[in-house]
Amino acid sequence: MMEVKTRPRTAQTLREALEDDIAVGRYPPGSRLDEVTLATRFAVSRTPIREALIELSVAGLVEIRPRRGAFVRDIGISRLVEMFQVMAELEAMCVRLACRRMTAEEQAVLVAAHEACILAADQQTPDDYFHANERFHEAIYAASHNGFLAEQARALQNRLKAYRRLQLRVRNRVKGSLAEHQAIVDAVLEGDAEKAENVLRSHILIQGERFNDFVASLDGAKASLLS
Amino acid sequence: MMEVKTRPRTAQTLREALEDDIAVGRYPPGSRLDEVTLATRFAVSRTPIREALIELSVAGLVEIRPRRGAFVRDIGISRLVEMFQVMAELEAMCVRLACRRMTAEEQAVLVAAHEACILAADQQTPDDYFHANERFHEAIYAASHNGFLAEQARALQNRLKAYRRLQLRVRNRVKGSLAEHQAIVDAVLEGDAEKAENVLRSHILIQGERFNDFVASLDGAKASLLS
DNA sequence: TCAATTGTTTTTGTATACAAGCGAAGTGGT
DNA sequence: ACCACTTCGCTTGTATACAAAAACAATTGA
């Protein structure tokens, strides 16, 4: 069997490596994750592979069907909308708390992250914007001063990573995202918690909708998901 | 070493067994979970024990410090408050959605669960009330018609199980809890989503506060936590 | 020709064996 | 006597071996 480029396994854990491979689409939803194949690919025994797969299954990215193996969890579109709904609520909570509690430094970090987003959006590199966007939201999580909430938000953001990335491909979505960020920053700087909360909530909800559009637009042409 | 009563391991998984043991206090926060000890206790090899511990660590009940073992996660009081805050928001979201979406049958289930709580509260058995209470909240999760949200709510409720149980020991807490439930049911039946949301939110937040009281009241006498 | 049953093969789940790191205790030096 | 260093034991992390279940294929009977 033809060996595809195997990442050198720097210092990152097996779990992170698999997480990335799933997010990037190397292992598409529904595909089987064979233990021995993975073991040979990463040049380890089955044991650490199994442990990584268990972690991923608890985290929700992988489904382990007893006695028949691990599969990349295929999230239906309706469940995806549900997840974005919860994500919206978590982020709304974050920004609400952030409005009350955030320090001047944290405000500066948020503004800087926003400006980085603007820069990344200008040059037509969608992946750069994707990462700048992640840091923007991270700034809000951290500013909530609720460590547990921030963890939950990060975990769910990570679980939705693949879909958030795709959703950015929708026409004019980056521009729209940016405008929403601006509104959020404005509200936060004004200290208008209620406004910030509402804008952020719909900023997330719109992602679920745009993803829906995206899927609908390709319809039969599932193959191009990995284009 | 003296063998304490080892549960016969009916059909439940190792993970659930350990979860229970932690919730019940057999393994108090901070205590070390030795792999070989657990292996002999459950009469299995280290492998399935390790896998269960990994699951628990991802779920957040256990902390695995590399190369030094697994410990029951010791949740500080401030983090606990954070967790109750998030729980409150999740439940508020559940009831808000439930108000809009719940069917007549689901309303009936909720009312029935509430009545079961009243019955359980009358007879002075705190554990019965605890379980009836769980079913009451479960009815709300299910009625949200957002499967993912319901899963998240259940997971967090489970993680807080030990603390919710203790918090019920505070003077008059059961009576107070019941009154709050009544208010929630009323609001839901009226279809007043905003009211239901607010009442439920503070119903959860109050648990964090009452737990705080509870800890403060014993103060030095940590030993009696397991009374 | 098709279905069913049986035998083979592949794959998961568990046990055991082995390697390597951390901690504790002991030893030697100052 | 006190501190640093070394060594030994115990525990985790990983590899391998084995058992059992599921998938697959082939053969036989209708």
Side-chain angles (χ1 to χ4, degrees), chain A residues 158-216:
Chain A
N158 193 46
R159 210 160 146 187
L160 291 172
K161 191 186 284 193
Y163 306 96
R164 287 186 301 109
R165 179 180 265 139
L166 285 177
Q167 156 268 339
L168 282 177
R169 306 265 183 98
V170 172
R171 239 180 81 78
N172 275 336
R173 180 63 200 123
V174 170
K175 192 161 299 238
S177 172
L178 216 50
E180 290 150 26
H181 282 198
Q182 184 67 56
I184 292 162
V185 172
D186 290 347
V188 167
L189 293 185
E190 288 172 29
D192 189 340
E194 200 169 342
K195 185 175 166 195
E197 191 178 341
N198 288 327
V199 176
L200 183 45
R201 199 193 322 262
S202 58
H203 171 59
I204 304 296
L205 284 177
I206 217 173
Q207 290 183 41
E209 291 165 24
R210 284 304 113 92
F211 183 81
N212 218 329
D213 299 349
F214 182 74
V215 186

Short mmCIF file of all heavy atoms in Angstrom, two decimals, chain A residues 158-216:
data_model
loop_
_atom_site.label_atom_id
_atom_site.label_comp_id
_atom_site.label_asym_id
_atom_site.label_seq_id
_atom_site.Cartn_x
_atom_site.Cartn_y
_atom_site.Cartn_z
N ASN A 158 -12.97 23.68 18.71
CA ASN A 158 -12.09 22.70 18.09
C ASN A 158 -12.88 21.62 17.36
O ASN A 158 -12.52 21.19 16.28
CB ASN A 158 -11.20 22.07 19.18
CG ASN A 158 -10.07 21.28 18.59
OD1 ASN A 158 -9.40 21.75 17.67
ND2 ASN A 158 -9.86 20.07 19.09
N ARG A 159 -13.97 21.22 18.00
CA ARG A 159 -14.79 20.17 17.42
C ARG A 159 -15.47 20.65 16.14
O ARG A 159 -15.79 19.86 15.27
CB ARG A 159 -15.84 19.78 18.45
CG ARG A 159 -16.27 18.36 18.35
CD ARG A 159 -16.89 17.93 19.64
NE ARG A 159 -17.95 16.98 19.42
CZ ARG A 159 -18.76 16.55 20.38
NH1 ARG A 159 -18.60 17.01 21.61
NH2 ARG A 159 -19.70 15.69 20.13
N LEU A 160 -15.68 21.94 16.04
CA LEU A 160 -16.35 22.49 14.86
C LEU A 160 -15.36 23.01 13.83
O LEU A 160 -15.75 23.53 12.78
CB LEU A 160 -17.29 23.63 15.29
CG LEU A 160 -18.52 23.21 16.09
CD1 LEU A 160 -19.26 24.42 16.62
CD2 LEU A 160 -19.45 22.38 15.21
N LYS A 161 -14.09 22.86 14.14
CA LYS A 161 -13.05 23.46 13.32
C LYS A 161 -13.22 23.22 11.82
O LYS A 161 -13.24 24.15 11.01
CB LYS A 161 -11.68 22.93 13.76
CG LYS A 161 -10.51 23.68 13.16
CD LYS A 161 -9.19 23.01 13.52
CE LYS A 161 -8.79 23.31 14.96
NZ LYS A 161 -7.38 22.93 15.24
N ALA A 162 -13.40 21.95 11.46
CA ALA A 162 -13.48 21.60 10.04
C ALA A 162 -14.63 22.35 9.36
O ALA A 162 -14.50 22.79 8.22
CB ALA A 162 -13.68 20.10 9.90
N TYR A 163 -15.73 22.51 10.08
CA TYR A 163 -16.91 23.12 9.47
C TYR A 163 -16.78 24.63 9.42
O TYR A 163 -17.21 25.27 8.46
CB TYR A 163 -18.16 22.70 10.24
CG TYR A 163 -18.24 21.20 10.36
CD1 TYR A 163 -17.77 20.53 11.49
CD2 TYR A 163 -18.73 20.45 9.31
CE1 TYR A 163 -17.82 19.15 11.57
CE2 TYR A 163 -18.79 19.06 9.39
CZ TYR A 163 -18.33 18.43 10.52
OH TYR A 163 -18.37 17.06 10.60
N ARG A 164 -16.15 25.20 10.44
CA ARG A 164 -15.94 26.65 10.42
C ARG A 164 -15.02 27.01 9.27
O ARG A 164 -15.19 28.03 8.60
CB ARG A 164 -15.34 27.11 11.74
CG ARG A 164 -16.34 27.09 12.90
CD ARG A 164 -15.78 27.68 14.15
NE ARG A 164 -14.58 26.97 14.59
CZ ARG A 164 -13.37 27.42 14.54
NH1 ARG A 164 -13.15 28.66 14.11
NH2 ARG A 164 -12.36 26.70 14.94
N ARG A 165 -14.06 26.15 9.02
CA ARG A 165 -13.12 26.43 7.94
C ARG A 165 -13.85 26.45 6.59
O ARG A 165 -13.69 27.36 5.79
CB ARG A 165 -12.01 25.39 7.93
CG ARG A 165 -11.00 25.58 6.82
CD ARG A 165 -9.92 24.52 6.87
NE ARG A 165 -8.73 24.96 7.59
CZ ARG A 165 -8.03 24.20 8.43
NH1 ARG A 165 -8.43 22.98 8.68
NH2 ARG A 165 -6.95 24.66 8.99
N LEU A 166 -14.67 25.43 6.37
CA LEU A 166 -15.38 25.33 5.10
C LEU A 166 -16.33 26.49 4.89
O LEU A 166 -16.43 27.05 3.80
CB LEU A 166 -16.17 24.02 5.04
CG LEU A 166 -15.34 22.76 4.82
CD1 LEU A 166 -16.23 21.53 4.86
CD2 LEU A 166 -14.60 22.84 3.48
N GLN A 167 -17.00 26.87 5.96
CA GLN A 167 -18.02 27.90 5.89
C GLN A 167 -17.45 29.23 5.41
O GLN A 167 -18.15 30.04 4.80
CB GLN A 167 -18.64 28.00 7.30
CG GLN A 167 -19.30 29.29 7.67
CD GLN A 167 -18.32 30.21 8.36
OE1 GLN A 167 -17.31 29.78 8.89
NE2 GLN A 167 -18.60 31.49 8.32
N LEU A 168 -16.14 29.41 5.61
CA LEU A 168 -15.51 30.66 5.16
C LEU A 168 -15.43 30.75 3.64
O LEU A 168 -15.20 31.83 3.09
CB LEU A 168 -14.09 30.78 5.74
CG LEU A 168 -14.00 31.22 7.21
CD1 LEU A 168 -12.56 31.24 7.68
CD2 LEU A 168 -14.62 32.61 7.39
N ARG A 169 -15.65 29.61 2.98
CA ARG A 169 -15.56 29.61 1.51
C ARG A 169 -16.79 30.24 0.85
O ARG A 169 -16.79 30.49 -0.35
CB ARG A 169 -15.43 28.17 1.00
CG ARG A 169 -14.31 27.37 1.62
CD ARG A 169 -13.08 27.42 0.75
NE ARG A 169 -12.03 26.59 1.32
CZ ARG A 169 -11.76 25.34 0.92
NH1 ARG A 169 -12.46 24.81 -0.07
NH2 ARG A 169 -10.79 24.64 1.48
N VAL A 170 -17.83 30.40 1.64
CA VAL A 170 -19.04 30.98 1.06
C VAL A 170 -18.75 32.42 0.62
O VAL A 170 -18.04 33.16 1.30
CB VAL A 170 -20.20 30.96 2.07
CG1 VAL A 170 -21.39 31.72 1.54
CG2 VAL A 170 -20.60 29.52 2.39
N ARG A 171 -19.32 32.79 -0.50
CA ARG A 171 -19.11 34.11 -1.09
C ARG A 171 -19.28 35.24 -0.08
O ARG A 171 -20.29 35.32 0.61
CB ARG A 171 -20.15 34.31 -2.21
CG ARG A 171 -19.58 34.57 -3.58
CD ARG A 171 -20.71 34.76 -4.57
NE ARG A 171 -21.27 36.10 -4.54
CZ ARG A 171 -20.68 37.17 -5.11
NH1 ARG A 171 -19.53 37.02 -5.73
NH2 ARG A 171 -21.24 38.35 -5.05
N ASN A 172 -18.29 36.08 0.00
CA ASN A 172 -18.36 37.28 0.84
C ASN A 172 -18.43 36.99 2.34
O ASN A 172 -18.66 37.90 3.14
CB ASN A 172 -19.57 38.14 0.47
CG ASN A 172 -19.24 39.07 -0.67
OD1 ASN A 172 -18.05 39.39 -0.88
ND2 ASN A 172 -20.24 39.50 -1.39
N ARG A 173 -18.22 35.74 2.70
CA ARG A 173 -18.36 35.40 4.11
C ARG A 173 -17.28 36.07 4.97
O ARG A 173 -17.54 36.55 6.06
CB ARG A 173 -18.31 33.88 4.31
CG ARG A 173 -18.44 33.45 5.75
CD ARG A 173 -19.78 33.84 6.34
NE ARG A 173 -19.74 33.85 7.80
CZ ARG A 173 -20.02 34.89 8.55
NH1 ARG A 173 -20.41 36.03 8.00
NH2 ARG A 173 -19.96 34.82 9.86
N VAL A 174 -16.05 36.13 4.43
CA VAL A 174 -14.97 36.75 5.19
C VAL A 174 -15.29 38.21 5.48
O VAL A 174 -15.15 38.68 6.62
CB VAL A 174 -13.62 36.61 4.44
CG1 VAL A 174 -12.56 37.45 5.12
CG2 VAL A 174 -13.20 35.15 4.37
N LYS A 175 -15.73 38.90 4.47
CA LYS A 175 -16.08 40.31 4.65
C LYS A 175 -17.16 40.47 5.72
O LYS A 175 -17.08 41.31 6.61
CB LYS A 175 -16.55 40.90 3.31
CG LYS A 175 -16.68 42.41 3.32
CD LYS A 175 -16.68 42.98 1.89
CE LYS A 175 -15.42 42.68 1.12
NZ LYS A 175 -14.67 43.86 0.62
N GLY A 176 -18.18 39.62 5.64
CA GLY A 176 -19.26 39.68 6.60
C GLY A 176 -18.76 39.39 8.01
O GLY A 176 -19.08 40.10 8.97
N SER A 177 -17.93 38.36 8.11
CA SER A 177 -17.38 37.99 9.41
C SER A 177 -16.65 39.17 10.04
O SER A 177 -16.81 39.47 11.22
CB SER A 177 -16.43 36.81 9.22
OG SER A 177 -15.73 36.54 10.41
N LEU A 178 -15.89 39.84 9.21
CA LEU A 178 -15.09 40.97 9.67
C LEU A 178 -15.98 42.10 10.22
O LEU A 178 -15.70 42.68 11.28
CB LEU A 178 -14.25 41.48 8.50
CG LEU A 178 -12.86 41.97 8.81
CD1 LEU A 178 -12.10 40.96 9.64
CD2 LEU A 178 -12.12 42.24 7.51
N ALA A 179 -17.04 42.38 9.48
CA ALA A 179 -17.96 43.44 9.90
C ALA A 179 -18.56 43.08 11.27
O ALA A 179 -18.69 43.94 12.15
CB ALA A 179 -19.05 43.62 8.87
N GLU A 180 -18.90 41.81 11.44
CA GLU A 180 -19.47 41.37 12.71
C GLU A 180 -18.44 41.54 13.83
O GLU A 180 -18.77 42.01 14.93
CB GLU A 180 -19.93 39.92 12.59
CG GLU A 180 -21.15 39.74 11.70
CD GLU A 180 -21.20 38.40 10.99
OE1 GLU A 180 -20.61 37.44 11.51
OE2 GLU A 180 -21.80 38.33 9.90
N HIS A 181 -17.20 41.18 13.54
CA HIS A 181 -16.14 41.37 14.54
C HIS A 181 -16.07 42.83 14.96
O HIS A 181 -15.94 43.15 16.15
CB HIS A 181 -14.79 40.94 13.97
CG HIS A 181 -14.59 39.47 13.95
ND1 HIS A 181 -13.35 38.89 13.83
CD2 HIS A 181 -15.47 38.43 14.04
CE1 HIS A 181 -13.48 37.57 13.83
NE2 HIS A 181 -14.75 37.28 13.95
N GLN A 182 -16.14 43.71 13.97
CA GLN A 182 -16.04 45.13 14.27
C GLN A 182 -17.15 45.54 15.24
O GLN A 182 -16.92 46.24 16.23
CB GLN A 182 -16.16 45.94 12.96
CG GLN A 182 -15.99 47.44 13.16
CD GLN A 182 -14.57 47.79 13.57
OE1 GLN A 182 -13.60 47.45 12.90
NE2 GLN A 182 -14.42 48.46 14.72
N ALA A 183 -18.36 45.08 14.95
CA ALA A 183 -19.50 45.42 15.80
C ALA A 183 -19.28 44.88 17.21
O ALA A 183 -19.63 45.54 18.20
CB ALA A 183 -20.78 44.83 15.21
N ILE A 184 -18.70 43.69 17.30
CA ILE A 184 -18.45 43.11 18.62
C ILE A 184 -17.44 43.95 19.39
O ILE A 184 -17.66 44.31 20.55
CB ILE A 184 -17.92 41.66 18.48
CG1 ILE A 184 -19.02 40.75 17.93
CG2 ILE A 184 -17.43 41.14 19.82
CD1 ILE A 184 -18.51 39.45 17.36
N VAL A 185 -16.35 44.30 18.71
CA VAL A 185 -15.32 45.10 19.37
C VAL A 185 -15.91 46.43 19.85
O VAL A 185 -15.70 46.85 20.99
CB VAL A 185 -14.13 45.35 18.43
CG1 VAL A 185 -13.17 46.35 19.04
CG2 VAL A 185 -13.42 44.04 18.12
N ASP A 186 -16.68 47.06 18.98
CA ASP A 186 -17.30 48.33 19.35
C ASP A 186 -18.14 48.19 20.61
O ASP A 186 -18.00 48.96 21.57
CB ASP A 186 -18.18 48.85 18.20
CG ASP A 186 -17.33 49.31 17.01
OD1 ASP A 186 -16.10 49.45 17.19
OD2 ASP A 186 -17.89 49.50 15.92
N ALA A 187 -18.99 47.18 20.60
CA ALA A 187 -19.88 46.99 21.74
C ALA A 187 -19.09 46.73 23.01
O ALA A 187 -19.41 47.25 24.08
CB ALA A 187 -20.84 45.83 21.47
N VAL A 188 -18.05 45.93 22.87
CA VAL A 188 -17.25 45.61 24.06
C VAL A 188 -16.58 46.87 24.60
O VAL A 188 -16.58 47.12 25.81
CB VAL A 188 -16.18 44.54 23.73
CG1 VAL A 188 -15.16 44.44 24.85
CG2 VAL A 188 -16.83 43.19 23.48
N LEU A 189 -16.03 47.67 23.69
CA LEU A 189 -15.33 48.88 24.14
C LEU A 189 -16.30 49.88 24.77
O LEU A 189 -15.95 50.59 25.71
CB LEU A 189 -14.57 49.53 22.97
CG LEU A 189 -13.41 48.69 22.43
CD1 LEU A 189 -12.63 49.44 21.36
CD2 LEU A 189 -12.47 48.25 23.54
N GLU A 190 -17.52 49.88 24.27
CA GLU A 190 -18.56 50.72 24.88
C GLU A 190 -19.03 50.15 26.22
O GLU A 190 -19.69 50.82 26.98
CB GLU A 190 -19.79 50.83 23.97
CG GLU A 190 -19.59 51.68 22.72
CD GLU A 190 -20.79 51.56 21.79
OE1 GLU A 190 -21.91 51.31 22.30
OE2 GLU A 190 -20.61 51.66 20.56
N GLY A 191 -18.73 48.88 26.43
CA GLY A 191 -19.20 48.22 27.64
C GLY A 191 -20.66 47.82 27.57
O GLY A 191 -21.31 47.55 28.58
N ASP A 192 -21.19 47.76 26.35
CA ASP A 192 -22.59 47.38 26.17
C ASP A 192 -22.70 45.85 26.08
O ASP A 192 -22.67 45.27 25.00
CB ASP A 192 -23.12 48.03 24.89
CG ASP A 192 -24.64 47.86 24.76
OD1 ASP A 192 -25.18 46.94 25.41
OD2 ASP A 192 -25.25 48.63 24.00
N ALA A 193 -22.85 45.23 27.23
CA ALA A 193 -22.81 43.77 27.31
C ALA A 193 -23.93 43.15 26.49
O ALA A 193 -23.72 42.17 25.77
CB ALA A 193 -22.89 43.31 28.76
N GLU A 194 -25.12 43.73 26.61
CA GLU A 194 -26.27 43.11 25.95
C GLU A 194 -26.10 43.13 24.44
O GLU A 194 -26.36 42.14 23.75
CB GLU A 194 -27.54 43.85 26.35
CG GLU A 194 -28.79 43.04 26.12
CD GLU A 194 -30.01 43.69 26.78
OE1 GLU A 194 -29.82 44.56 27.67
OE2 GLU A 194 -31.13 43.35 26.38
N LYS A 195 -25.61 44.26 23.94
CA LYS A 195 -25.41 44.38 22.50
C LYS A 195 -24.31 43.40 22.05
O LYS A 195 -24.48 42.66 21.07
CB LYS A 195 -25.01 45.81 22.15
CG LYS A 195 -24.89 46.08 20.66
CD LYS A 195 -24.62 47.57 20.43
CE LYS A 195 -24.16 47.87 19.01
NZ LYS A 195 -23.57 49.24 18.92
N ALA A 196 -23.22 43.38 22.78
CA ALA A 196 -22.11 42.50 22.42
C ALA A 196 -22.58 41.05 22.37
O ALA A 196 -22.29 40.30 21.44
CB ALA A 196 -20.98 42.65 23.44
N GLU A 197 -23.35 40.69 23.38
CA GLU A 197 -23.87 39.33 23.47
C GLU A 197 -24.70 38.99 22.25
O GLU A 197 -24.51 37.95 21.62
CB GLU A 197 -24.73 39.23 24.75
CG GLU A 197 -25.12 37.84 25.13
CD GLU A 197 -25.91 37.85 26.43
OE1 GLU A 197 -25.84 38.86 27.19
OE2 GLU A 197 -26.62 36.86 26.70
N ASN A 198 -25.60 39.87 21.89
CA ASN A 198 -26.49 39.59 20.76
C ASN A 198 -25.74 39.53 19.43
O ASN A 198 -26.01 38.65 18.61
CB ASN A 198 -27.59 40.65 20.70
CG ASN A 198 -28.59 40.46 21.82
OD1 ASN A 198 -28.86 39.34 22.24
ND2 ASN A 198 -29.10 41.57 22.34
N VAL A 199 -24.82 40.46 19.24
CA VAL A 199 -24.07 40.46 17.99
C VAL A 199 -23.24 39.19 17.87
O VAL A 199 -23.23 38.53 16.83
CB VAL A 199 -23.16 41.69 17.90
CG1 VAL A 199 -22.32 41.62 16.63
CG2 VAL A 199 -23.98 42.97 17.92
N LEU A 200 -22.58 38.82 18.96
CA LEU A 200 -21.73 37.63 18.92
C LEU A 200 -22.57 36.38 18.69
O LEU A 200 -22.20 35.50 17.89
CB LEU A 200 -20.92 37.52 20.21
CG LEU A 200 -19.93 36.36 20.29
CD1 LEU A 200 -19.13 36.22 19.01
CD2 LEU A 200 -18.99 36.56 21.46
N ARG A 201 -23.70 36.33 19.36
CA ARG A 201 -24.57 35.16 19.21
C ARG A 201 -24.94 34.96 17.75
O ARG A 201 -24.81 33.86 17.21
CB ARG A 201 -25.83 35.30 20.07
CG ARG A 201 -26.54 33.99 20.33
CD ARG A 201 -27.94 34.21 20.90
NE ARG A 201 -27.99 35.34 21.83
CZ ARG A 201 -27.93 35.23 23.15
NH1 ARG A 201 -27.81 34.05 23.70
NH2 ARG A 201 -28.01 36.30 23.91
N SER A 202 -25.34 36.03 17.12
CA SER A 202 -25.76 35.84 15.72
C SER A 202 -24.55 35.66 14.81
O SER A 202 -24.65 35.01 13.77
CB SER A 202 -26.64 36.99 15.25
OG SER A 202 -25.95 38.20 15.39
N HIS A 203 -23.41 36.17 15.23
CA HIS A 203 -22.18 35.93 14.48
C HIS A 203 -21.88 34.43 14.39
O HIS A 203 -21.42 33.94 13.37
CB HIS A 203 -21.01 36.67 15.15
CG HIS A 203 -19.66 36.33 14.60
ND1 HIS A 203 -19.32 36.53 13.29
CD2 HIS A 203 -18.56 35.81 15.20
CE1 HIS A 203 -18.06 36.15 13.10
NE2 HIS A 203 -17.58 35.70 14.24
N ILE A 204 -22.15 33.73 15.46
CA ILE A 204 -21.91 32.29 15.46
C ILE A 204 -23.03 31.56 14.75
O ILE A 204 -22.80 30.68 13.91
CB ILE A 204 -21.79 31.76 16.91
CG1 ILE A 204 -20.71 32.50 17.67
CG2 ILE A 204 -21.50 30.26 16.89
CD1 ILE A 204 -19.34 32.32 17.14
N LEU A 205 -24.26 31.95 15.05
CA LEU A 205 -25.39 31.26 14.43
C LEU A 205 -25.33 31.35 12.92
O LEU A 205 -25.65 30.41 12.21
CB LEU A 205 -26.71 31.86 14.94
CG LEU A 205 -27.08 31.44 16.36
CD1 LEU A 205 -28.34 32.13 16.82
CD2 LEU A 205 -27.25 29.92 16.44
N ILE A 206 -24.88 32.51 12.43
CA ILE A 206 -24.80 32.71 10.98
C ILE A 206 -23.82 31.72 10.36
O ILE A 206 -23.98 31.30 9.21
CB ILE A 206 -24.38 34.17 10.69
CG1 ILE A 206 -25.12 34.67 9.45
CG2 ILE A 206 -22.90 34.30 10.47
CD1 ILE A 206 -24.88 36.15 9.19
N GLN A 207 -22.84 31.30 11.14
CA GLN A 207 -21.88 30.34 10.61
C GLN A 207 -22.55 29.01 10.30
O GLN A 207 -22.29 28.40 9.27
CB GLN A 207 -20.75 30.12 11.61
CG GLN A 207 -19.85 31.32 11.76
CD GLN A 207 -18.69 31.03 12.70
OE1 GLN A 207 -18.10 29.96 12.67
NE2 GLN A 207 -18.36 31.99 13.55
N GLY A 208 -23.43 28.59 11.22
CA GLY A 208 -24.17 27.37 10.97
C GLY A 208 -25.01 27.50 9.71
O GLY A 208 -25.04 26.60 8.87
N GLU A 209 -25.65 28.65 9.56
CA GLU A 209 -26.50 28.87 8.38
C GLU A 209 -25.65 28.89 7.11
O GLU A 209 -26.00 28.26 6.11
CB GLU A 209 -27.26 30.18 8.52
CG GLU A 209 -28.33 30.15 9.60
CD GLU A 209 -28.82 31.56 9.95
OE1 GLU A 209 -28.69 32.46 9.11
OE2 GLU A 209 -29.28 31.74 11.10
N ARG A 210 -24.54 29.61 7.17
CA ARG A 210 -23.69 29.68 5.99
C ARG A 210 -23.15 28.31 5.62
O ARG A 210 -23.00 27.98 4.45
CB ARG A 210 -22.52 30.67 6.21
CG ARG A 210 -22.89 32.12 6.13
CD ARG A 210 -23.56 32.47 4.81
NE ARG A 210 -24.96 32.84 5.00
CZ ARG A 210 -25.40 34.07 5.20
NH1 ARG A 210 -24.57 35.07 5.18
NH2 ARG A 210 -26.67 34.30 5.41
N PHE A 211 -22.87 27.52 6.64
CA PHE A 211 -22.40 26.17 6.34
C PHE A 211 -23.49 25.38 5.64
O PHE A 211 -23.25 24.64 4.69
CB PHE A 211 -21.96 25.44 7.61
CG PHE A 211 -21.42 24.08 7.30
CD1 PHE A 211 -20.11 23.94 6.86
CD2 PHE A 211 -22.21 22.95 7.41
CE1 PHE A 211 -19.61 22.69 6.54
CE2 PHE A 211 -21.72 21.71 7.09
CZ PHE A 211 -20.42 21.58 6.66
N ASN A 212 -24.70 25.60 6.11
CA ASN A 212 -25.85 24.97 5.48
C ASN A 212 -25.93 25.36 4.00
O ASN A 212 -26.05 24.51 3.13
CB ASN A 212 -27.10 25.45 6.20
CG ASN A 212 -28.12 24.35 6.34
OD1 ASN A 212 -28.19 23.47 5.49
ND2 ASN A 212 -28.90 24.38 7.41
N ASP A 213 -25.82 26.66 3.73
CA ASP A 213 -25.78 27.15 2.35
C ASP A 213 -24.70 26.42 1.57
O ASP A 213 -24.92 25.95 0.45
CB ASP A 213 -25.45 28.65 2.32
CG ASP A 213 -26.49 29.47 3.05
OD1 ASP A 213 -27.55 28.91 3.40
OD2 ASP A 213 -26.23 30.67 3.29
N PHE A 214 -23.54 26.35 2.20
CA PHE A 214 -22.39 25.76 1.53
C PHE A 214 -22.68 24.33 1.09
O PHE A 214 -22.45 23.96 -0.06
CB PHE A 214 -21.20 25.81 2.48
CG PHE A 214 -19.93 25.27 1.89
CD1 PHE A 214 -19.23 26.00 0.95
CD2 PHE A 214 -19.44 24.04 2.28
CE1 PHE A 214 -18.06 25.51 0.40
CE2 PHE A 214 -18.27 23.54 1.73
CZ PHE A 214 -17.59 24.28 0.80
N VAL A 215 -23.21 23.55 2.00
CA VAL A 215 -23.52 22.16 1.68
C VAL A 215 -24.57 22.11 0.58
O VAL A 215 -24.46 21.35 -0.38
CB VAL A 215 -24.03 21.41 2.92
CG1 VAL A 215 -24.20 19.93 2.60
CG2 VAL A 215 -23.09 21.59 4.07
N ALA A 216 -25.59 22.93 0.74
CA ALA A 216 -26.67 22.94 -0.25
C ALA A 216 -26.14 23.28 -1.63
O ALA A 216 -26.55 22.71 -2.63
CB ALA A 216 -27.74 23.94 0.16
#
